[in-house]
């Protein structure tokens, strides 16, 4: 599943239909594609997550009781930033996904090589 963070803030009076329009118009992304979209309000006190599960949309919101989300990407050329699952988890706990150190999400595993004697070299 693709996790996409909308870099620009969004008006949080928008509900599902309004955020679907933001996905299509501003983010140039299809909200029915199975992606998960993360939005922040202007003050970065709250996040909304929009995802389509094949039957309908889910809309989740987290509002901090104090303070604001300390990390957010600077506006750039791209309207979205891709996240890994562990980065989204850090963001939801008000951490900094940009400085998180974790093992790579995927790495190629080379198959064992057979030697001349027929034994496998592992």
């Amino acid at each position: 599943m693709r996790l996409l963070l909308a870099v620009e803030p969004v008006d949080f009076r928008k509900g599902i239909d309004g955020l679907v329009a933001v996905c299509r118009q501003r983010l140039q992304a299809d909200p029915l594609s199975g992606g998960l979209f993360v939005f922040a309000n202007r003050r970065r006190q709250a996040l909304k997550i929009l995802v389509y599960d094949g039957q309908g949309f889910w809309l989740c919101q987290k509002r901090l009781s104090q303070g604001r989300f300390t990390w957010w990407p600077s506006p750039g050329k791209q309207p979205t930033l891709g996240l890994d699952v562990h980065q989204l988890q850090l963001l939801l706990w008000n951490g900094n996904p940009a400085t998180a150190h974790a093992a790579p999400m995927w790495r190629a595993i080379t198959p064992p090589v057979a030697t001349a004697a027929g034994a496998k070299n592992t």
Side-chain angles (χ1 to χ4, degrees):
M1 173 182 280
R2 291 180 350 159
L3 308 176
L4 297 172
L5 183 136
V7 176
E8 296 289 329
V10 172
D11 180 356
F12 266 31
R13 293 175 290 183
K14 292 182 185 299
I16 291 173
D17 293 333
L19 292 175
V20 165
V22 168
C23 289
R24 289 187 173 134
Q25 296 166 4
R26 288 181 27 198
L27 306 182
Q28 300 297 308
D30 181 10
L32 301 173
S33 66
L36 185 143
F37 298 88
V38 182
F39 302 93
N41 63 348
R42 188 175 315 275
R43 293 185 179 190
R44 289 200 323 253
Q45 295 171 322
L47 299 177
K48 282 189 177 182
I49 297 175
L50 178 73
V51 65
Y52 183 75
D53 70 2
Q55 292 180 322
F57 284 99
W58 285 88
L59 181 60
C60 305
Q61 180 174 346
K62 178 172 185 173
R63 185 182 68 199
L64 296 176
S65 55
Q66 293 181 13
R68 24 182 309 185
F69 288 94
T70 54
W71 178 86
W72 203 260
S74 300
K77 294 179 183 178
Q78 299 296 327
T80 61
L81 174 71
L83 293 175
D84 291 330
V85 174
H86 69 278
Q87 291 175 313
L88 177 59
Q89 185 178 14
L90 278 168
L91 178 62
L92 291 173
W93 283 96
N94 203 9
N96 184 343
T99 60
H101 299 288
M105 295 303 291
W106 182 88
R107 62 185 168 93
I109 299 174
T110 56
V113 179
T115 62
K120 290 184 178 178
N121 183 11
T122 56

